[in-house]
Amino acid sequence: MRHAHRVDQVRAAEAELMARLPEGTLMQRAATGLAVTCARLLARRRGRVYGSRVVVLAGSGDNGGDALYAGAELARRGARVTAVLLAPGRAHGGGLAALRAARGRVVVEQEAGLADFSCADLVLDGIVGIGGRGGLRPEAEPYARAARTGTVVAVDVPSGVDADTGEVAGAALRADVTVCFGTYKPGLLIDPGASYAGAVHLVGIGLELPPAGVTALQHADVADLLPVPGGESDKYRRGVVGVAAGSARYPGAALLAVAGALRGGAGAVRYVGTAAEEVVRRFPETLVTEGGPAGAGRVQAWVVGPGGGEGAGRALAEALAADVPVLVDADGLTELARLGPGALAGRTAPTLLTPHTGEAARLLAGAGAGAGAGAGPGGDGGTRSEQPRPPAADELAATRLATARRLAAAYRATVLLKGSTTVVADPSGSVRVNPTGTAWLATAGSGDVLAGLAGSLLAAGLSAPDAAAVAAYLHGLAARHTAAVPGAPVTASEVAAALPAAWNDVRAGAAPEARSGRTGGTGR
């Protein structure tokens, strides 16, 4: 699992470690790890470090110092290193002296710096560190626009990206590789910042950190959570997921939600809705019931809302009245936004909301929260009185971490916020981000498959945060499996059909001790 920590947590851990180490040791650890990664990149690009053209973009402070020390180490290995000082009067003294001692070149004229930048084999971005806020300063902006032929390596975080949130408030320098120190930073895992980070390499420097507020699952983590039947299991012990979806206008939503649910590990799928005939014809193993959730019989979780149309309100009310986990999607979210958080008051079973940013905007409006309002446990945003205006979807897409946390706090529910980076937040403020997504999942019906899959995992016994994170992970992998040619468009039906391959991929790629999964029944 990847663990990401806030800047204040990193700073506190660094200060505690530096107090126990000789002066400069921590920076040397970081610079050495950075130089090793750069040497490997140069060897891959040119076959050797010797003679390579390296440019160090050095701002003020320790981030620039890390870059300068790494540049000095590369110079000692024969690279032709030029340091471009973007804050000449505030450049790190020790790093600058080390570079000069290694016969590195130093320039302060930006025209010369841009010329070197454009033809370098490798560029070290040490302009702004993890404490930076806002976009690049005017003296650094030209580097974000300039053509380059070499590999750009960001030092800890791409300059212009908010390390805590992934927000990009102005110009930022896009990296091919980011070398981060001690721990991942949330902004490296969450768009838009993640799209600027490139491949992320972690260099350990000995920090002792508290539990991370933001994590990202990997194959072994997902494999450990997958529900796998035991010797005493039957279809009821494995869990029954109820699906209330589809309408005369959107019958396909029912089929896609059921398709996802059948491949999520529950023992049976029970469907209620107007598309019963189509569902049974396509999936004869599905249990169908006339009417709504209230008369459907015993289930261990409900999925409500995909393509539900005008009937979504009744289905939502009946499902929420049951003492089982409920996943609310699509038209169910529209109805919930109309009702507000009070509709979930008094529920003891988990609730999982799966909005895209447009639906998130409606939910926040229904909760009375503006685009920057209702910070909740994550400490994001302001107060309702500061920004009473309704939130806009594009603003929420640019502030994904804060948005997911605000929604989870406002509705006291787990939230799976769909988008370029899928973010799962629980009411405590803990967040998981999904690393497997692809833009090709922005296709009609994809969310219906995801809802059915996550609902099935809920019925199989996973907690709401686990079900959401595992479903997003498998959903993304399935989309990558579908295309005969990597990067080709996919359909929602293809994604559903590829879920078994994604499941097997996770189990095959995990460590042996993580392949057993969760066994036995649901315990409910």
Side-chain angles (χ1 to χ4, degrees):
M1 183 178 292
R2 290 183 169 185
H3 300 266
H5 291 82
R6 299 190 313 270
V7 171
D8 64 321
Q9 293 173 314
V10 174
R11 294 293 195 218
E14 287 176 339
E16 193 277 332
L17 183 57
M18 284 189 290
R20 296 188 280 111
L21 294 174
E23 185 177 355
T25 301
L26 198 60
M27 180 169 285
Q28 286 298 335
R29 287 180 182 178
T32 298
L34 177 60
V36 168
T37 301
C38 291
R40 288 174 180 162
L41 292 169
L42 287 169
R44 191 180 307 156
R45 178 184 175 88
R46 301 186 75 250
R48 60 183 183 176
V49 175
Y50 187 87
S52 299
R53 294 166 298 182
V54 175
V55 168
V56 176
L57 300 178
S60 59
D62 289 348
N63 188 257
D66 293 332
L68 288 166
Y69 275 120
E73 194 161 329
L74 293 172
R76 286 192 290 270
R77 297 183 58 172
R80 292 181 288 166
V81 181
T82 298
V84 181
L85 304 186
L86 297 174
R90 292 178 291 146
H92 190 277
L96 190 56
L99 183 72
R100 284 179 166 143
R103 298 188 178 181
R105 175 170 163 257
V106 178
V107 301
V108 296
E109 301 83 6
Q110 295 309 303
E111 186 174 341
L114 283 166
D116 288 326
F117 173 86
S118 298
C119 64
D121 296 307
L122 184 141
V123 175
L124 273 169
D125 168 18
I127 304 172
V128 182
I130 59 175
R133 294 292 182 270
L136 291 172
R137 302 298 181 261
E139 64 272 14
E141 280 191 21
Y143 293 94
R145 299 189 298 268
R148 83 269 189 112
T149 58
T151 301
V152 175
V153 179
V155 180
D156 225 1
V157 65
S159 294
V161 171
D162 189 304
D164 276 344
T165 67
E167 295 172 24
V168 179
L173 182 54
R174 195 176 298 274
D176 301 295
V177 175
T178 297
V179 178
C180 60
F181 307 127
T183 182
Y184 295 94
K185 314 307 183 292
L188 301 176
L189 305 179
I190 299 170
D191 277 333
S195 67
Y196 283 81
V200 180
H201 296 270
L202 178 64
V203 171
I205 55 174
L207 299 184
E208 296 179 4
L209 291 153
V214 176
T215 57
L217 298 182
Q218 296 177 292
H219 267 32
D221 308 303
V222 176
D224 194 44
L225 291 167
L226 292 177
V228 179
E232 299 300 316
S233 296
D234 59 32
K235 61 178 178 289
Y236 295 108
R237 287 192 179 96
R238 289 179 59 194
V240 180
V241 57
V243 177
S247 60
R249 185 176 182 184
Y250 301 113
L255 294 171
L256 292 168
V258 168
L262 286 167
R263 295 170 173 89
V269 177
R270 190 184 298 278
Y271 173 78
V272 298
T274 60
E277 290 187 12
E278 291 93 334
V279 168
V280 171
R281 189 179 303 116
R282 177 66 181 84
F283 302 111
E285 60 268 49
T286 309
L287 310 172
V288 288
T289 306
E290 297 293 333
R298 186 168 179 263
V299 300
Q300 276 70 49
W302 276 106
V303 175
V304 180
E310 294 180 359
R314 174 192 168 191
L316 177 64
E318 292 182 5
L320 291 177
D323 189 26
V324 298
V326 175
L327 182 151
V328 187
D329 184 51
D331 289 327
L333 293 170
T334 300
E335 181 65 17
L336 183 60
R338 184 184 69 80
L339 298 171
L344 305 182
R347 272 186 57 78
T348 57
T351 307
L352 172 58
L353 312 181
T354 57
H356 54 59
T357 51
E359 291 160 342
R362 292 196 287 274
L363 287 166
L364 284 173
D380 303 296
T383 64
R384 292 185 185 182
S385 61
E386 291 170 340
Q387 283 194 332
R389 62 185 175 83
D394 57 349
E395 293 178 70
L396 301 186
T399 57
R400 307 192 61 77
L401 181 61
T403 297
R405 281 176 165 156
R406 286 200 299 273
L407 273 174
Y411 283 84
R412 304 302 301 168
T414 298
V415 171
L416 185 157
L417 181 62
K418 295 179 282 195
S420 57
T421 302
T422 293
V423 177
V424 177
D426 68 28
S428 74
S430 293
V431 168
R432 290 180 182 173
V433 297
N434 180 52
T436 66
T438 166
W440 291 116
L441 280 170
T443 186
S446 170
D448 303 329
V449 175
L450 177 62
L453 173 62
S456 187
L457 291 165
L458 280 173
L462 272 67
S463 68
D466 284 345
V470 170
Y473 196 99
L474 293 173
H475 192 243
L477 280 185
R480 295 171 185 273
H481 272 284
T482 55
V485 178
V490 301
T491 67
S493 296
E494 291 170 335
V495 173
L499 285 171
W503 190 294
N504 288 334
D505 185 37
V506 163
R507 299 196 72 205
E513 63 271 16
R515 293 179 188 169
S516 59
R518 298 169 60 96
T519 59
T522 65
R524 293 196 194 95

